[in-house]
Amino acid sequence: MQGSLAHDEVVRTNSAELSPIDSLELREIRLPLVSPSETSLGVERENQALLVILRKGGITGYGECVAGIDRWFNEETIASAKYTIQTYLAPILFGQHMTTPSAFIALTKGIRGNNMAVACVEMALWDVLGKMEDTSLSKLLGGKKEEVEVGVGVGLQSSPAKLVGAVDSYLKEGYGRIKVKIKPSYDVEYVRAIRKAFPDIKLQVDANSAYTLDDAKHLKRLDEFNLLLIEQPLGHDDLVDHARLQKELSTPLCLDESIRAPEDARKALEIGACKIINIKAGRVRGLQRSKEIHDLCMKLRVPVWCGGMLETGIGRAFNVALASLPGFTLPGDTSASKRYFKRDIITMEFALTTRSTLPVPDGPGIGVEVDSEALDAVTVSRTTVKNESLH
Ligand code: MG
């Protein structure tokens, strides 16, 4: 039954087999961003991404790898993901029999880490499965919503006044929740300026691990601004210090980078390292694991929301489908397409509604069509791996 997906198995609506997959294509693309994105870790001016394109009969399934060109968010890069997919994941995909994307995840058990590489193949398999079964990804996952609430992330700005100006323009575009990046010296006064200008907006901050526990007293000053949450203030792989910090603060902490698996979520919640979790499918090895974290959090009444990694329309479609699950009760970071790109690689545009939501596609699989001309225009490399057992 939809909505009651067991941990290791997708309930199938017919008996079609996911295996064999005919071929896997890797495409590196480079898409200029509308405005540069600055975090405590650096500036990004374009989105470089790796797409996985699976072909099976007449069906094409897409996956988008969210690893960056550099090791900023975690240890994976586009180059490492490409290597991992070609060397380790393609042989599993072609050499093993599988009926569900979850079975693929089980077969990758021997490959430690490399979650973003594994996730993009798994996600492409979900797209193939949805298209085979003429069912939307949202429905396959147990999604309940027809639209999902979204907010927008604002990068670091050079002055509080500039930040207030940027926030103002996003509010005018219709965003109902604002997230701002912070780092030491770009925090309390910046947030104070926003609160002064907009006392009632939904506001949260993301530090991308820019602080240590020595900053606890300083971070406590953020408590007066009625923030929805403070995201990942401490170490990218830390749980224990976050638990100590959470005891000092009344604002809920939210973990992003530290949560790479359902087990991390369980441990974090058990020791009180956070009260909210940001789920990114790429970071946690795909949609099956995302669903497991979501289910755990729902059971424990812990809110989750869907983070963003500057995805193209393909990755955005996956995020929107994931965020349609009922436990995603906070607005996600999956903003409208035009926030990121002048020309996306899908034919439709994810446009913001007047309710600060994006519609959940209801077509088969990810429910969006790839604009092959636009995709070709931004492609910088292509490699196809064929399933040799079929050729
Ligand atoms: Mg974050």
Side-chain angles (χ1 to χ4, degrees):
M1 266 165 46
Q2 281 160 9
S4 58
L5 184 66
H7 279 185
D8 296 306
E9 198 56 42
V10 179
V11 176
R12 304 293 303 276
T13 51
N14 67 31
S15 57
E17 298 287 338
L18 207 43
S19 294
I21 297 292
D22 301 341
S23 67
L24 176 155
E25 181 184 332
L26 287 164
R27 280 225 198 192
E28 278 183 82
I29 60 167
R30 210 173 272 182
L31 265 176
L33 290 169
V34 169
S35 62
S37 165
E38 182 168 3
T39 72
S40 63
L41 303 155
V43 187
E44 287 185 275
R45 295 182 195 285
E46 57 180 12
N47 181 36
Q48 300 197 32
L50 178 67
L51 301 179
V52 161
I53 306 172
L54 300 181
R55 292 193 172 81
K56 176 183 173 64
I59 289 175
T60 306
Y62 295 88
E64 178 170 342
C65 181
V66 294
I69 196 78
D70 290 318
R71 296 186 149 100
W72 65 276
F73 183 82
N74 67 13
E75 74 286 354
E76 290 189 79
T77 63
I78 289 176
S80 76
K82 212 171 154 181
Y83 176 79
T84 301
I85 292 167
Q86 283 179 295
T87 314
Y88 300 106
L89 301 178
I92 291 173
L93 189 70
F94 297 145
Q96 305 274 345
H97 180 81
M98 60 194 79
T99 53
T100 65
S102 316
F104 172 73
I105 290 297
L107 290 164
T108 66
K109 205 176 165 189
I111 300 169
R112 288 187 182 170
N114 296 285
N115 283 354
M116 291 173 172
V118 175
C120 76
V121 178
E122 187 242 23
M123 290 161 85
L125 284 169
W126 279 100
D127 189 27
V128 170
L129 183 67
K131 286 166 178 167
M132 281 167 58
E133 305 204 341
D134 198 23
T135 304
S136 72
L137 178 61
S138 166
K139 285 216 176 80
L140 272 186
L141 293 171
K144 300 285 183 209
K145 304 176 209 163
E146 285 174 11
E147 54 186 58
V148 299
E149 206 183 339
V150 298
V152 69
V154 186
L156 287 163
Q157 306 289 320
S158 55
S159 72
K162 270 198 179 153
L163 181 60
V164 169
V167 168
D168 185 42
S169 67
Y170 285 123
L171 291 172
K172 285 188 176 129
E173 281 181 36
Y175 286 104
R177 186 279 268 155
I178 300 288
K179 158 170 150 177
V180 296
K181 295 287 185 180
I182 57 166
K183 68 178 182 181
S185 304
Y186 293 76
D187 45 31
V188 176
E189 294 318 313
Y190 283 69
V191 176
R192 188 188 307 283
I194 300 175
R195 262 300 172 236
K196 206 173 154 202
F198 312 106
D200 302 319
I201 58 166
K202 289 183 190 168
L203 182 63
Q204 64 192 56
V205 297
D206 185 2
N208 290 109
S209 302
Y211 300 88
T212 70
L213 206 49
D214 292 340
D215 300 309
K217 233 183 188 167
H218 180 70
L219 290 167
K220 189 158 176 54
R221 295 176 64 199
L222 293 171
D223 271 347
E224 68 174 284
F225 302 118
N226 187 28
L227 300 175
L228 286 174
L229 57 93
I230 300 172
E231 189 177 345
Q232 198 76 33
L234 309 181
H236 69 94
D237 55 356
D238 168 75
L239 297 180
V240 174
D241 282 358
H242 279 99
R244 289 175 66 185
L245 179 64
Q246 180 66 88
K247 284 197 184 76
E248 304 291 319
L249 304 186
S250 56
T251 309
L253 293 185
C254 168
L255 289 178
D256 173 359
E257 284 92 330
S258 293
I259 307 298
R260 292 169 168 232
E263 271 298 279
D264 295 332
R266 178 187 66 74
K267 290 171 189 169
L269 295 171
E270 212 166 284
I271 66 168
C274 65
K275 294 179 178 170
I276 296 169
I277 290 178
N278 163 346
I279 300 181
K280 288 175 178 163
R283 195 193 66 225
V284 305
R285 214 173 176 89
L287 293 171
Q288 175 64 35
R289 295 275 183 90
S290 298
K291 168 87 178 149
E292 289 173 26
I293 294 171
H294 162 273
D295 292 353
L296 171 75
C297 289
M298 255 191 102
K299 202 168 88 187
L300 299 174
R301 296 178 193 276
V302 170
V304 300
W305 57 283
C306 183
M309 298 285 283
L310 305 176
E311 291 91 344
T312 71
I314 293 173
R316 198 164 311 284
F318 279 103
N319 285 345
V320 168
L322 178 61
S324 74
L325 296 178
F328 284 78
T329 54
L330 289 172
D333 265 352
T334 301
S335 313
S337 315
K338 71 171 186 184
R339 154 78 179 85
Y340 305 96
F341 311 113
K342 276 201 191 84
R343 188 183 181 191
D344 204 341
I345 55 169
I346 58 170
T347 55
M348 70 165 271
E349 185 187 330
F350 278 105
L352 198 67
T353 70
T354 52
R355 297 169 296 284
S356 190
T357 63
L358 293 183
V360 180
D362 58 5
I366 53 173
V368 295
E369 226 169 279
V370 171
D371 178 341
S372 51
E373 199 186 292
L375 174 58
D376 286 346
V378 295
T379 296
V380 291
S381 84
R382 278 176 91 156
T383 315
T384 299
V385 189
K386 285 185 177 164
N387 186 344
E388 290 304 336
S389 65
L390 301 174
H391 297 273

